Amino acid sequence: QVQLQESGPGLVKPSQTLSLTCTVSGASISTGSYYWSWIRQPAGKGLEWMGRIYTSGSTNYNPSLKSRVTVSLDTSKNQFSLKLSSVTAADTAVYYCARGTSNGYSLGYYFDYWGQGTLVTVSS
Amino acid sequence: DIQMTQSPSTLSASVGDRVTITCRASQSVYSWLAWYQQKPGKAPKLLIQKASSLDSGVPSRFSGSGSGTEFTLTISSLQPDDFATYYCQQYNSYSPTFGQGTKVEIK
């Protein structure tokens, strides 16, 4: 059974960098054809895909966040990470890590496994 | 980006009702559409992928249909465990996008 677990600070100051880690168990992040992704959800609002890293290490980011977001892999720890720079109160949200799976012919992927989510508050 | 629009935003229904949620895409996404169920304080759960393929373990009262720009999620007989928010998501682009959600409430 694939499981994902987010970890990181729950409080970040404005203008600083938000850093989160997702630890994956039950699957290797360096094998298979999966898109390890970060998705966030402000309180009472919808879901926003932020970015992903493929098992090969290639990345793709939401154009609205592209200049501020970085996703990276640590295969030795079976983890992937998110960094979001220059945060403001608008970045306060629950952050989820998720595994993206494609149907083979699709350009993109759906999310079949999710972490439980972690609340990050941006405040001084 | 491909915009996804769900209707209605909120739906009030009773146990046993047949419920239909619509999701429209701003351009064709073929059949590359997924549906998720989210309960308060929990992560979304995959229900359907490729517009109509039920994920493993999802009850058969859930079904999906559609292609191109218009899709529906149907719950044939609403159960107490089904009161939740439902999201559609397209994956016909390198940037997946979600609908704004439909909350299914108890009538």
Side-chain angles (χ1 to χ4, degrees):
Chain A
Q1 177 71 355
V2 179
Q3 293 184 309
L4 294 86
Q5 176 70 58
E6 305 88 352
S7 60
L11 181 64
V12 180
K13 288 181 166 49
S15 80
Q16 293 190 341
T17 296
L18 179 161
S19 296
L20 295 173
T21 296
C22 183
T23 300
V24 179
S25 58
S28 170
I29 62 170
S30 57
T31 60
S33 301
Y34 299 111
Y35 301 84
W36 302 99
S37 299
W38 289 95
I39 296 159
R40 69 180 181 178
Q41 184 173 38
K45 296 190 177 180
L47 299 159
E48 179 183 35
W49 171 79
M50 300 180 70
R52 62 82 172 162
I53 188 162
Y54 189 56
T55 48
S56 65
S58 69
T59 55
N60 189 33
Y61 302 121
N62 187 320
S64 69
L65 300 169
K66 190 171 185 176
S67 62
R68 298 199 293 135
V69 67
T70 304
V71 180
S72 59
L73 279 179
D74 185 341
T75 56
S76 67
K77 296 181 180 178
N78 216 39
Q79 295 174 337
F80 63 105
S81 297
L82 169 74
K83 290 189 185 299
L84 181 67
S85 63
S86 304
V87 297
T88 69
D91 295 310
T92 294
V94 174
Y95 286 76
Y96 295 101
C97 57
R99 188 181 83 168
T101 297
S102 76
N103 287 115
Y105 295 101
S106 58
L107 289 176
Y109 37 90
Y110 57 90
F111 303 101
D112 53 358
Y113 291 98
W114 297 65
Q116 65 185 25
T118 187
L119 174 63
V120 178
T121 301
V122 178
S123 176
S124 55
Chain B
D1 276 7
I2 300 175
Q3 307 301 316
M4 307 301 292
T5 304
Q6 290 181 232
S7 60
S9 296
T10 306
L11 187 160
S12 296
S14 302
V15 172
D17 283 353
R18 180 181 181 88
V19 166
T20 298
I21 298 168
T22 298
C23 176
R24 290 186 173 86
S26 60
Q27 65 188 72
S28 177
V29 297
Y30 302 95
S31 294
W32 307 127
L33 186 106
W35 288 97
Y36 302 86
Q37 177 192 66
Q38 186 178 34
K39 296 182 179 178
K42 300 293 187 182
K45 173 190 171 185
L46 176 67
L47 296 176
I48 289 168
Q49 45 92 6
K50 204 179 175 186
S52 61
S53 296
L54 238 59
D55 196 40
S56 176
V58 174
S60 59
R61 63 181 179 272
F62 290 92
S63 64
S65 65
S67 66
T69 62
E70 188 155 336
F71 302 86
T72 58
L73 172 69
T74 299
I75 308 172
S76 60
S77 178
L78 197 65
Q79 298 302 301
D81 192 47
D82 301 337
F83 291 97
T85 299
Y86 294 84
Y87 293 93
C88 61
Q89 175 235 325
Q90 65 78 21
Y91 52 104
N92 189 50
S93 74
Y94 296 118
S95 294
T97 49
F98 295 86
Q100 81 279 16
T102 295
K103 185 176 182 181
V104 177
E105 299 182 325
I106 301 172
K107 191 172 186 178

